[in-house]
Amino acid sequence: VVCFTGGFFAAKYIIENANSDPETPETEVVALEAKDFTLGYGFKITLDDSFSKKSTGNTKQYAIANDSVAFIATRDSFEDLASAGYNNISEMYYAQLCINNSGKNVIGRRDETNNWYYFEYTSVVDGRSYKYYSMVKKGQSAYWLCQFSAYEDVYDDKVENFKSWLKTIEINDAQYA
């Protein structure tokens, strides 16, 4: 089960190494346009055009980032889950499996407004604190762990954007079942 593997370090790497335009002053307000990102296995999310795809080195994990936020989507196929002994599990069960595999003391919750299971946690890597908003999404052939991360000190300013972006996710992966 891939669930949760590498997310902590991938987000740290992505945020610290995201491309930013050194010619654009930080005080300049730039209008951002919506941009669709199609990842593997029929997964699509709409973010804004400040984001770009990043390499994770993992064929089941995809990353998109800008200079302050990282998004990581990790795929666990139903076949892989069944091979590990997890057959016909619910979204709530999969979310709890991800939490258990994280090693974090975290409580999963159901967001009734958005109709999804989510959990938040903080991780300190190389002395820097990151906060994550993670939710699970069920496709036709896999579960997806969808995580946004940001530096902890700016997280509260970004979490509503995370929820808005998560609402745009489309998964059309029936052909991979």
Side-chain angles (χ1 to χ4, degrees):
V1 177
V2 176
C3 183
F4 231 85
T5 304
F8 308 115
F9 298 105
K12 175 193 171 296
Y13 172 82
I14 292 164
I15 290 173
E16 290 184 354
N17 293 291
N19 292 330
S20 60
D21 183 356
E23 302 298 318
T24 304
E26 289 185 31
T27 57
E28 182 179 332
V29 176
V30 178
L32 299 173
E33 298 290 325
K35 181 177 179 182
D36 290 338
F37 289 90
T38 302
L39 307 177
Y41 297 98
F43 185 100
K44 184 173 94 174
I45 186 169
T46 303
L47 301 171
D48 65 50
D49 61 1
S50 71
F51 285 84
S52 61
K53 287 184 182 178
K54 304 294 177 186
S55 174
T56 64
N58 182 333
T59 60
K60 295 183 179 188
Q61 190 172 66
Y62 303 89
I64 306 167
N66 64 19
D67 62 354
S68 63
V69 170
F71 172 74
I72 298 172
T74 306
R75 179 181 188 270
D76 273 323
S77 73
F78 297 152
E79 183 179 325
D80 288 347
L81 288 165
S83 294
Y86 302 104
N87 294 299
N88 300 316
I89 60 175
S90 67
E91 284 183 52
M92 182 175 70
Y93 191 95
Y94 180 74
Q96 191 59 52
L97 178 64
C98 292
I99 291 168
N100 293 348
N101 286 346
S102 77
K104 300 284 183 187
N105 185 16
V106 176
I107 296 173
R109 293 182 170 82
R110 177 146 187 90
D111 181 325
E112 295 297 335
T113 302
N114 294 306
N115 194 30
W116 64 53
Y117 292 95
Y118 76 99
F119 51 99
E120 296 173 287
Y121 64 95
T122 302
S123 183
V124 177
V125 180
D126 293 337
R128 186 76 196 244
S129 186
Y130 300 87
K131 191 158 181 182
Y132 296 76
Y133 186 97
S134 303
M135 62 85 79
V136 297
K137 187 88 170 164
K138 184 178 182 179
Q140 294 87 6
S141 69
Y143 276 110
W144 291 82
L145 174 63
C146 305
Q147 300 183 90
F148 276 101
S149 63
Y151 296 126
E152 185 176 22
D153 56 345
V154 299
Y155 177 87
D156 290 340
D157 296 332
K158 300 192 179 292
V159 72
E160 290 306 315
N161 285 341
F162 297 167
K163 292 176 186 179
S164 293
W165 291 327
L166 288 167
K167 289 177 191 177
T168 71
I169 292 174
E170 295 176 21
I171 302 172
N172 297 304
D173 63 348
Q175 69 270 28
Y176 303 105

PDB file of all heavy atoms in Angstrom, residues 9 12 17 20 33 46 51 78 88 101 128 131-132 146 158 165-166 170:
ATOM      1  N   PHE A   9       8.487  14.511   2.720  1.00  0.00           N
ATOM      2  CA  PHE A   9       9.713  15.017   2.122  1.00  0.00           C
ATOM      3  C   PHE A   9       9.488  15.572   0.726  1.00  0.00           C
ATOM      4  O   PHE A   9      10.129  16.533   0.333  1.00  0.00           O
ATOM      5  CB  PHE A   9      10.777  13.915   2.128  1.00  0.00           C
ATOM      6  CG  PHE A   9      11.106  13.484   3.529  1.00  0.00           C
ATOM      7  CD1 PHE A   9      10.636  12.280   4.009  1.00  0.00           C
ATOM      8  CD2 PHE A   9      11.816  14.310   4.376  1.00  0.00           C
ATOM      9  CE1 PHE A   9      10.900  11.896   5.317  1.00  0.00           C
ATOM     10  CE2 PHE A   9      12.085  13.927   5.689  1.00  0.00           C
ATOM     11  CZ  PHE A   9      11.628  12.714   6.157  1.00  0.00           C
ATOM     12  N   LYS A  12       8.211  19.143   1.100  1.00  0.00           N
ATOM     13  CA  LYS A  12       9.302  20.035   1.501  1.00  0.00           C
ATOM     14  C   LYS A  12      10.181  20.357   0.299  1.00  0.00           C
ATOM     15  O   LYS A  12      10.479  21.513   0.022  1.00  0.00           O
ATOM     16  CB  LYS A  12      10.145  19.374   2.585  1.00  0.00           C
ATOM     17  CG  LYS A  12      11.368  20.188   2.969  1.00  0.00           C
ATOM     18  CD  LYS A  12      12.315  19.347   3.801  1.00  0.00           C
ATOM     19  CE  LYS A  12      13.623  20.031   4.017  1.00  0.00           C
ATOM     20  NZ  LYS A  12      14.396  20.258   2.821  1.00  0.00           N
ATOM     21  N   ASN A  17      11.850  24.202  -3.790  1.00  0.00           N
ATOM     22  CA  ASN A  17      12.472  24.248  -5.105  1.00  0.00           C
ATOM     23  C   ASN A  17      11.529  24.649  -6.229  1.00  0.00           C
ATOM     24  O   ASN A  17      11.894  24.556  -7.387  1.00  0.00           O
ATOM     25  CB  ASN A  17      13.086  22.875  -5.433  1.00  0.00           C
ATOM     26  CG  ASN A  17      14.242  22.582  -4.526  1.00  0.00           C
ATOM     27  OD1 ASN A  17      15.273  23.212  -4.605  1.00  0.00           O
ATOM     28  ND2 ASN A  17      14.045  21.651  -3.610  1.00  0.00           N
ATOM     29  N   SER A  20      10.017  30.188  -9.269  1.00  0.00           N
ATOM     30  CA  SER A  20       9.369  31.482  -9.122  1.00  0.00           C
ATOM     31  C   SER A  20      10.122  32.447 -10.019  1.00  0.00           C
ATOM     32  O   SER A  20      11.284  32.250 -10.340  1.00  0.00           O
ATOM     33  CB  SER A  20       9.387  31.943  -7.668  1.00  0.00           C
ATOM     34  OG  SER A  20      10.703  32.064  -7.203  1.00  0.00           O
ATOM     35  N   GLU A  33      -4.886  32.806 -13.596  1.00  0.00           N
ATOM     36  CA  GLU A  33      -5.913  32.134 -14.391  1.00  0.00           C
ATOM     37  C   GLU A  33      -6.026  30.686 -13.926  1.00  0.00           C
ATOM     38  O   GLU A  33      -5.044  30.074 -13.504  1.00  0.00           O
ATOM     39  CB  GLU A  33      -5.522  32.152 -15.876  1.00  0.00           C
ATOM     40  CG  GLU A  33      -5.396  33.533 -16.469  1.00  0.00           C
ATOM     41  CD  GLU A  33      -6.738  34.235 -16.616  1.00  0.00           C
ATOM     42  OE1 GLU A  33      -7.741  33.541 -16.896  1.00  0.00           O
ATOM     43  OE2 GLU A  33      -6.774  35.463 -16.439  1.00  0.00           O
ATOM     44  N   THR A  46      -8.075  21.290 -11.060  1.00  0.00           N
ATOM     45  CA  THR A  46      -7.911  22.659 -11.537  1.00  0.00           C
ATOM     46  C   THR A  46      -7.327  23.495 -10.412  1.00  0.00           C
ATOM     47  O   THR A  46      -7.901  23.589  -9.321  1.00  0.00           O
ATOM     48  CB  THR A  46      -9.262  23.260 -11.991  1.00  0.00           C
ATOM     49  OG1 THR A  46      -9.811  22.416 -13.007  1.00  0.00           O
ATOM     50  CG2 THR A  46      -9.073  24.666 -12.537  1.00  0.00           C
ATOM     51  N   PHE A  51       1.037  27.305 -10.631  1.00  0.00           N
ATOM     52  CA  PHE A  51       1.490  25.946 -10.344  1.00  0.00           C
ATOM     53  C   PHE A  51       2.147  25.317 -11.561  1.00  0.00           C
ATOM     54  O   PHE A  51       1.845  25.667 -12.702  1.00  0.00           O
ATOM     55  CB  PHE A  51       0.307  25.063  -9.927  1.00  0.00           C
ATOM     56  CG  PHE A  51      -0.186  25.313  -8.539  1.00  0.00           C
ATOM     57  CD1 PHE A  51      -1.091  26.333  -8.289  1.00  0.00           C
ATOM     58  CD2 PHE A  51       0.247  24.534  -7.479  1.00  0.00           C
ATOM     59  CE1 PHE A  51      -1.568  26.566  -7.005  1.00  0.00           C
ATOM     60  CE2 PHE A  51      -0.216  24.763  -6.190  1.00  0.00           C
ATOM     61  CZ  PHE A  51      -1.122  25.782  -5.960  1.00  0.00           C
ATOM     62  N   PHE A  78      -7.343  -0.550  -6.411  1.00  0.00           N
ATOM     63  CA  PHE A  78      -8.125  -1.532  -5.668  1.00  0.00           C
ATOM     64  C   PHE A  78      -7.427  -2.890  -5.707  1.00  0.00           C
ATOM     65  O   PHE A  78      -7.454  -3.638  -4.732  1.00  0.00           O
ATOM     66  CB  PHE A  78      -9.543  -1.644  -6.233  1.00  0.00           C
ATOM     67  CG  PHE A  78     -10.349  -0.370  -6.113  1.00  0.00           C
ATOM     68  CD1 PHE A  78     -11.352  -0.099  -7.021  1.00  0.00           C
ATOM     69  CD2 PHE A  78     -10.119   0.556  -5.099  1.00  0.00           C
ATOM     70  CE1 PHE A  78     -12.113   1.060  -6.921  1.00  0.00           C
ATOM     71  CE2 PHE A  78     -10.874   1.719  -4.995  1.00  0.00           C
ATOM     72  CZ  PHE A  78     -11.874   1.968  -5.902  1.00  0.00           C
ATOM     73  N   ASN A  88     -12.794  -4.181  -0.898  1.00  0.00           N
ATOM     74  CA  ASN A  88     -14.051  -3.429  -0.822  1.00  0.00           C
ATOM     75  C   ASN A  88     -14.135  -2.525   0.404  1.00  0.00           C
ATOM     76  O   ASN A  88     -15.125  -2.537   1.132  1.00  0.00           O
ATOM     77  CB  ASN A  88     -15.251  -4.391  -0.851  1.00  0.00           C
ATOM     78  CG  ASN A  88     -15.268  -5.210  -2.113  1.00  0.00           C
ATOM     79  OD1 ASN A  88     -15.040  -4.694  -3.204  1.00  0.00           O
ATOM     80  ND2 ASN A  88     -15.529  -6.502  -1.978  1.00  0.00           N
ATOM     81  N   ASN A 101      -0.910   4.570   8.647  1.00  0.00           N
ATOM     82  CA  ASN A 101       0.392   4.424   7.998  1.00  0.00           C
ATOM     83  C   ASN A 101       1.271   5.657   8.165  1.00  0.00           C
ATOM     84  O   ASN A 101       2.479   5.578   7.953  1.00  0.00           O
ATOM     85  CB  ASN A 101       0.217   4.117   6.513  1.00  0.00           C
ATOM     86  CG  ASN A 101      -0.250   2.704   6.266  1.00  0.00           C
ATOM     87  OD1 ASN A 101      -0.209   1.862   7.154  1.00  0.00           O
ATOM     88  ND2 ASN A 101      -0.719   2.443   5.061  1.00  0.00           N
ATOM     89  N   ARG A 128      11.920  22.969   9.711  1.00  0.00           N
ATOM     90  CA  ARG A 128      10.826  23.801   9.181  1.00  0.00           C
ATOM     91  C   ARG A 128       9.507  23.063   9.347  1.00  0.00           C
ATOM     92  O   ARG A 128       9.407  21.878   9.043  1.00  0.00           O
ATOM     93  CB  ARG A 128      11.073  24.118   7.702  1.00  0.00           C
ATOM     94  CG  ARG A 128      10.089  25.081   7.086  1.00  0.00           C
ATOM     95  CD  ARG A 128      10.382  26.514   7.543  1.00  0.00           C
ATOM     96  NE  ARG A 128       9.262  27.388   7.289  1.00  0.00           N
ATOM     97  CZ  ARG A 128       9.286  28.419   6.465  1.00  0.00           C
ATOM     98  NH1 ARG A 128      10.384  28.725   5.820  1.00  0.00           N
ATOM     99  NH2 ARG A 128       8.223  29.168   6.299  1.00  0.00           N
ATOM    100  N   LYS A 131       2.299  22.199   7.339  1.00  0.00           N
ATOM    101  CA  LYS A 131       0.975  21.710   7.701  1.00  0.00           C
ATOM    102  C   LYS A 131       0.303  21.173   6.443  1.00  0.00           C
ATOM    103  O   LYS A 131       0.450  21.747   5.363  1.00  0.00           O
ATOM    104  CB  LYS A 131       0.127  22.799   8.345  1.00  0.00           C
ATOM    105  CG  LYS A 131      -1.143  22.242   8.967  1.00  0.00           C
ATOM    106  CD  LYS A 131      -1.715  23.149  10.023  1.00  0.00           C
ATOM    107  CE  LYS A 131      -2.967  22.496  10.619  1.00  0.00           C
ATOM    108  NZ  LYS A 131      -3.576  23.358  11.613  1.00  0.00           N
ATOM    109  N   TYR A 132      -0.428  20.082   6.612  1.00  0.00           N
ATOM    110  CA  TYR A 132      -1.029  19.351   5.501  1.00  0.00           C
ATOM    111  C   TYR A 132      -2.545  19.266   5.665  1.00  0.00           C
ATOM    112  O   TYR A 132      -3.046  19.079   6.776  1.00  0.00           O
ATOM    113  CB  TYR A 132      -0.485  17.920   5.448  1.00  0.00           C
ATOM    114  CG  TYR A 132       0.982  17.841   5.166  1.00  0.00           C
ATOM    115  CD1 TYR A 132       1.922  18.135   6.143  1.00  0.00           C
ATOM    116  CD2 TYR A 132       1.451  17.464   3.912  1.00  0.00           C
ATOM    117  CE1 TYR A 132       3.276  18.059   5.877  1.00  0.00           C
ATOM    118  CE2 TYR A 132       2.798  17.374   3.647  1.00  0.00           C
ATOM    119  CZ  TYR A 132       3.710  17.683   4.632  1.00  0.00           C
ATOM    120  OH  TYR A 132       5.047  17.607   4.380  1.00  0.00           O
ATOM    121  N   CYS A 146      -5.128  12.781  -1.524  1.00  0.00           N
ATOM    122  CA  CYS A 146      -4.878  14.105  -2.102  1.00  0.00           C
ATOM    123  C   CYS A 146      -4.445  15.034  -0.980  1.00  0.00           C
ATOM    124  O   CYS A 146      -5.215  15.274  -0.041  1.00  0.00           O
ATOM    125  CB  CYS A 146      -6.142  14.627  -2.767  1.00  0.00           C
ATOM    126  SG  CYS A 146      -6.821  13.497  -4.008  1.00  0.00           S
ATOM    127  N   LYS A 158      -4.410  29.722   3.534  1.00  0.00           N
ATOM    128  CA  LYS A 158      -4.507  28.963   2.284  1.00  0.00           C
ATOM    129  C   LYS A 158      -5.524  27.823   2.313  1.00  0.00           C
ATOM    130  O   LYS A 158      -5.933  27.345   1.268  1.00  0.00           O
ATOM    131  CB  LYS A 158      -3.135  28.409   1.917  1.00  0.00           C
ATOM    132  CG  LYS A 158      -2.117  29.528   1.728  1.00  0.00           C
ATOM    133  CD  LYS A 158      -0.866  29.082   1.105  1.00  0.00           C
ATOM    134  CE  LYS A 158       0.108  30.221   0.898  1.00  0.00           C
ATOM    135  NZ  LYS A 158      -0.307  31.185  -0.097  1.00  0.00           N
ATOM    136  N   TRP A 165      -9.990  24.034  -4.456  1.00  0.00           N
ATOM    137  CA  TRP A 165      -9.289  23.277  -5.492  1.00  0.00           C
ATOM    138  C   TRP A 165      -9.653  21.792  -5.441  1.00  0.00           C
ATOM    139  O   TRP A 165      -9.817  21.146  -6.474  1.00  0.00           O
ATOM    140  CB  TRP A 165      -7.785  23.474  -5.380  1.00  0.00           C
ATOM    141  CG  TRP A 165      -7.311  24.850  -5.744  1.00  0.00           C
ATOM    142  CD1 TRP A 165      -7.848  25.684  -6.686  1.00  0.00           C
ATOM    143  CD2 TRP A 165      -6.215  25.555  -5.181  1.00  0.00           C
ATOM    144  NE1 TRP A 165      -7.139  26.862  -6.738  1.00  0.00           N
ATOM    145  CE2 TRP A 165      -6.126  26.815  -5.822  1.00  0.00           C
ATOM    146  CE3 TRP A 165      -5.285  25.260  -4.186  1.00  0.00           C
ATOM    147  CZ2 TRP A 165      -5.150  27.758  -5.518  1.00  0.00           C
ATOM    148  CZ3 TRP A 165      -4.308  26.203  -3.879  1.00  0.00           C
ATOM    149  CH2 TRP A 165      -4.247  27.434  -4.548  1.00  0.00           C
ATOM    150  N   LEU A 166      -9.784  21.242  -4.241  1.00  0.00           N
ATOM    151  CA  LEU A 166     -10.137  19.828  -4.117  1.00  0.00           C
ATOM    152  C   LEU A 166     -11.509  19.536  -4.720  1.00  0.00           C
ATOM    153  O   LEU A 166     -11.745  18.442  -5.241  1.00  0.00           O
ATOM    154  CB  LEU A 166     -10.091  19.392  -2.650  1.00  0.00           C
ATOM    155  CG  LEU A 166      -8.682  19.272  -2.056  1.00  0.00           C
ATOM    156  CD1 LEU A 166      -8.747  19.141  -0.539  1.00  0.00           C
ATOM    157  CD2 LEU A 166      -7.913  18.124  -2.674  1.00  0.00           C
ATOM    158  N   GLU A 170     -11.508  15.593 -10.761  1.00  0.00           N
ATOM    159  CA  GLU A 170     -12.268  14.635 -11.568  1.00  0.00           C
ATOM    160  C   GLU A 170     -11.386  13.406 -11.742  1.00  0.00           C
ATOM    161  O   GLU A 170     -10.198  13.532 -12.042  1.00  0.00           O
ATOM    162  CB  GLU A 170     -12.587  15.213 -12.943  1.00  0.00           C
ATOM    163  CG  GLU A 170     -13.497  16.414 -12.924  1.00  0.00           C
ATOM    164  CD  GLU A 170     -13.709  17.001 -14.316  1.00  0.00           C
ATOM    165  OE1 GLU A 170     -13.491  16.281 -15.320  1.00  0.00           O
ATOM    166  OE2 GLU A 170     -14.072  18.178 -14.383  1.00  0.00           O
TER     167      GLU A 170
END
